[in-house]
Amino acid sequence: MDFLKLANEYKTPLYVYDLDKIKNQFLNFKNAFNARKSLICYALKANSNLSVINTLAKLESGADCVSIGEVKRAILAGIKKYKIIFSGVGKSDEEITEALELDILFINVESQQELKRVEYIAKKLGKKARISIRVNPNIDAKTHPYISTGLHENKFGVDKHKAFELYLHAKNSLFLEPVGIHFHIGSQLSDLDPIIAAAEKIADFTRSLLALEIHLKFFDVGGGVGITYSDEEKINLYEYAQAILKALKGLDLTIICEPGRYIVGESGFLISKVLYEKHTKDKRFVIVDTAMNDLIRPSLYQAIHKVRVYSKNSTEEAQKTKADIVGPICESGDYLAKNILLPPLQSGDLLVFENAGAYGYSMSSNYNTRKRAAEVGVENGIDRILKHRESFEDLIKDELNILQGVLCEIK
Ligand code: LLP
């Protein structure tokens, strides 16, 4: 990928996605489960650019959504409604109503109160809501605590005793149809063992439901398959699929997977431009035009994104010294890399952050009234804009209209 040309044409900070790689990653996942009835529901939260979703829709992807906004994005991008699932601990009445009206595949329910709410709204709409219960298997996924979700101390899902009660209730309800079971123990997983343990626990639980004449159709194993940011081991997809199939022995269920990071993570790059260098008594700082509002993962999870250097200076190893790459935001936590070896840099040089396709742009913000970056896709060697950089006017339009209204009234 010609980052210099892309930076020149679209300016920086810039997100670039290799759409061909995204397609390959999706197909790898799909192929790993080929031997079995399966549906890959791409987790939109990782990267919800409509063109990225559309690329996956063309490969028959489904969608895992965590807000009605994501559900609507999935539909707009061409994902079939009957392949969309809606998860999350805090769905509002409006969201549940719209999801039922849109007739998506099912809602992943995460609490007793939510189940009652879905039932109540389905009754009002004269519908029978297809639901799945998210069961919390109480298994340590061994990942960063902020993205670990499968322990009872986490807010997600219900324990198996509560789940049993909820399935019974749903079975006897005129307005609920229990069609699936769901778990998701965490993200950026590099160890298969906790996933196997969770799949086995939930499969056993599913068997126990058969005694109640509850016959589910979908076994939703969530997402979580990690990628290599620095030196993490990668889960072998074939072994992952085999382990899940083995856990399901004897159960005739369609497997649903909700991968996000695995599909888009490695395909994304964030191009930044060096503004200044600054040396204090203790440290060397490289100040770039890109900040924690563009990529918050280093600040939030101490995540590591490897950096490629495109410099007019020599990039000889011998000349490299340790530096922090920092952005213009008014916080000491605003950094993109810490203590990494960099050659001497000058204004205008490019630093490209790898593995930025997942939870990069989708977690970006306008903090410090910074415009969010542009997004570009490259497919068959041809680049095209997927989202323009925001303008200052985009950011203040609504507030300015309100303010001008108030000022008029005062006059
Ligand atoms: N399904 C559910 C219910 C989830 O909560 C998630 C991610 C996924 C699927 C997709 O997981 P993946 O395959 O991408 O690991 N912002 C964090 C990651 C948060 C993940 C939240 N849930 C990060 O930047 O590492």
Side-chain angles (χ1 to χ4, degrees), residues 162-397:
K162 179 58 82 183
F164 210 74
E165 198 185 315
L166 299 189
Y167 275 113
L168 249 186
H169 179 86
K171 182 193 173 218
N172 295 321
S173 165
L174 288 174
F175 306 101
L176 296 172
E177 182 188 0
V179 294
I181 187 156
H182 174 228
F183 67 94
H184 169 82
I185 58 172
S187 190
Q188 183 49 17
L189 309 182
S190 49
D191 186 354
L192 199 50
D193 291 344
I195 305 179
I196 298 178
E200 284 172 352
K201 251 188 173 176
I202 304 298
D204 280 346
F205 178 78
T206 310
R207 286 186 194 96
S208 68
L209 293 177
L210 292 175
L212 299 177
E213 292 289 309
I214 297 175
H215 298 273
L216 302 177
K217 296 188 187 120
F218 301 100
F219 190 79
D220 179 352
V221 302
V225 175
I227 59 174
T228 304
Y229 286 97
S230 44
D231 54 7
E232 302 94 326
E233 293 254 325
K234 263 192 194 153
I235 287 177
N236 176 307
L237 275 191
Y238 179 76
E239 287 170 13
Y240 173 71
Q242 287 310 308
I244 290 166
L245 295 180
K246 195 164 157 231
L248 277 179
K249 211 170 42 196
L251 287 169
D252 181 26
L253 296 167
T254 297
I255 297 167
I256 294 187
C257 300
E258 306 171 350
R261 190 186 319 261
Y262 178 88
I263 308 293
V264 289
E266 291 173 352
S267 311
F269 300 87
L270 175 58
I271 312 181
S272 68
K273 197 170 73 188
V274 173
L275 297 174
Y276 312 107
E277 278 232 19
K278 174 167 169 173
H279 296 258
T280 65
K281 213 162 87 220
D282 301 321
K283 270 197 113 98
R284 171 183 171 208
F285 292 103
V286 173
I287 304 168
V288 292
D289 63 354
T290 302
M292 68 193 276
N293 75 299
D294 299 299
L295 180 66
I296 202 173
R297 302 194 70 259
S299 307
L300 195 56
Y301 316 113
Q302 299 73 51
I304 291 172
H305 288 264
K306 284 194 183 151
V307 186
R308 297 187 196 174
V309 178
Y310 295 83
S311 171
K312 296 171 206 99
N313 288 338
S314 135
T315 50
E316 291 270 318
E317 280 304 313
Q319 299 202 2
K320 291 185 177 172
T321 60
K322 284 209 166 153
D324 285 6
I325 304 176
V326 298
I329 280 183
C330 56
E331 300 209 23
S332 296
D334 175 28
Y335 75 94
L336 295 161
K338 264 202 165 125
N339 279 322
I340 61 164
L341 284 170
L342 289 174
L345 294 166
Q346 43 176 298
S347 181
D349 287 347
L350 296 183
L351 297 181
V352 178
F353 297 89
E354 296 182 358
N355 298 314
Y359 307 106
Y361 190 92
S362 65
M363 292 182 81
S364 65
S365 77
N366 295 120
Y367 188 38
N368 283 195
T369 305
R370 288 174 54 82
K371 300 171 267 194
R372 278 179 302 170
E375 293 175 289
V376 162
V378 180
E379 196 169 15
N380 298 321
I382 297 167
D383 51 84
R384 65 173 201 270
I385 188 84
L386 306 184
K387 184 169 186 215
H388 292 104
R389 184 180 312 288
E390 285 172 327
S391 66
F392 174 66
E393 287 67 32
D394 290 333
L395 302 194
I396 48 107
K397 207 165 33 197

Side-chain angles (χ1 to χ4, degrees), residues 84-104:
I84 297 178
I85 54 187
F86 184 11
S87 315
V89 293
K91 304 175 196 81
S92 68
D93 282 6
E94 291 74 27
E95 290 187 303
I96 295 168
T97 306
E98 274 197 72
L100 293 178
E101 281 170 349
L102 286 168
D103 210 22
I104 60 171

